[in-house]
Amino acid sequence: ALMITDDCINCDVCEPECPNDAISMGAEFYQIDPHKCTECVGHFDEPTCAVLCPVACIPLNPAWRETREELQAKFERLTAEK
Ligand code: SF4
């Protein structure tokens, strides 16, 4: 999963673009739900939020390292729930 750091300027660009609805406003800045983030695996070649973020504050979450296979499985699980 990806994460949003406290460099976030709350510009609102990433939230509507997340295909997994994993991004929401947190207490002080935007946050990513790691249970929903597939790093855009299943949707796009690159993580959309990280590409769009004007201040490049969306790195990989070091506490949530996943393989491409695990991300693909998460995508399929989330899609089945819809
Ligand atoms: Fe914050 Fe970047 Fe998202 Fe803008 S695009 S709300 S700066 S994380």
Side-chain angles (χ1 to χ4, degrees):
L2 301 168
M3 62 177 286
I4 295 174
T5 73
D6 63 6
D7 287 335
C8 173
I9 56 172
N10 296 334
C11 73
D12 305 327
V13 164
C14 58
E15 189 269 332
E17 299 298 331
C18 176
N20 293 312
D21 291 328
I23 301 175
S24 61
M25 187 62 194
E28 292 177 40
F29 49 90
Y30 277 81
Q31 61 189 6
I32 294 177
D33 180 349
H35 297 285
K36 291 185 177 176
C37 174
T38 66
E39 300 172 21
C40 281
V41 167
H43 294 283
F44 306 116
D45 291 338
E46 291 178 283
T48 300
C49 62
V51 170
L52 294 175
C53 179
V55 295
C57 69
I58 314 184
L60 281 169
N61 187 335
W64 283 82
R65 302 311 289 262
E66 295 148 294
T67 65
R68 194 170 178 88
E69 289 69 31
E70 287 169 333
L71 292 165
Q72 179 70 33
K74 191 195 288 186
F75 164 74
E76 286 165 16
R77 212 161 53 235
L78 289 168
T79 308
E81 284 170 7
K82 279 182 186 162

